[in-house]
Amino acid sequence: MSGSSAALQPPADAGKPIRHPDAPAPGELLGAHYEHCFGCGPGQPHGLHLEARAGEGVSLTAEFTVRPAHQGAPGLAHGGVLAAALDETLGSLNWLLRTIAVTGRLETDFLRPVPVGATLFLAAEVTAVAGRKIYSTATGRVGGPDGPVAVRADALFIEVKVDHFIDHGRREEIQAAMNDPDQIRRARAFEVNP
């Protein structure tokens, strides 16, 4: 991405990202990390309902269709909604690393309008890891996976302990997620949160 700030440039000694051996296989749908997540949760009536699939290495693809509830200007997606789609896509990469991480910085470029009814085709990858810092990039295209780029972003995620969510989240939601009998769903609920 042109014009990224220095904070989004990995240091010279950053390592190559390594896909966790238990990560979903390439082509596998990741599913929602939390039912009530605005980005991917099916329990959010006006959410993005973004669906992500594991790719090769530490990459993935995702899609979401812009609905009338997502518009800013008449008939066009709100820029904040597009930034949320990029953030959700980039955050989903952390499941391939099996790392709990939060968004530390997100820089977006808006290159063309995305109309209501359009599907945004997103592709993202982790580019480097340096200690607790995870560097990643994403693009969103309209008209198909090879269509013109409408949005793009670079991001820095910071690895955190699950205590981050317990200390800062609302007690009722934390307890409900922790009581979920599905171990994978319970772990994924705390996977990423800005």
Side-chain angles (χ1 to χ4, degrees), residues 17-20 23-24 26 54-60 96:
I18 299 172
R19 183 190 191 98
H20 193 278
E56 298 293 330
V58 188
S59 71
L60 60 78
L96 301 177

Side-chain angles (χ1 to χ4, degrees), residues 27-180:
E28 188 175 326
L29 189 63
L30 299 185
H33 77 89
Y34 178 55
E35 181 179 345
H36 302 291
C37 173
F38 176 78
C40 65
Q44 285 291 342
H46 297 297
L48 304 181
H49 303 158
L50 187 132
E51 293 188 342
R53 287 191 184 282
E56 298 293 330
V58 188
S59 71
L60 60 78
T61 58
E63 295 179 15
F64 102 92
T65 299
V66 179
R67 297 184 317 227
H70 302 143
Q71 63 190 312
L76 297 174
H78 190 286
V81 168
L82 297 176
L86 288 162
D87 185 46
E88 183 67 28
T89 301
L90 290 157
S92 295
L93 288 165
N94 296 312
W95 187 239
L96 301 177
L97 298 170
R98 292 310 261 284
T99 299
I100 299 171
V102 295
T103 309
R105 187 174 189 96
L106 176 70
E107 290 187 14
T108 57
D109 288 328
F110 302 94
L111 304 171
R112 66 178 54 234
V114 179
V116 170
T119 297
L120 191 64
F121 296 85
L122 298 130
E125 69 175 326
V126 174
T127 57
V129 176
R132 294 177 46 225
K133 296 180 177 182
I134 301 164
Y135 298 85
S136 52
T137 189
T139 57
R141 297 172 180 271
V142 292
D146 296 319
V149 174
V151 293
R152 61 183 176 211
D154 285 334
L156 170 64
F157 282 80
I158 307 297
E159 183 178 351
V160 296
K161 304 272 187 229
V162 74
D163 293 351
H164 169 86
F165 303 98
I166 294 168
D167 294 344
H168 300 289
R170 285 193 338 178
R171 185 172 305 275
E172 300 82 26
E173 283 87 354
I174 298 292
Q175 198 59 51
M178 291 177 79
N179 290 338
D180 190 324

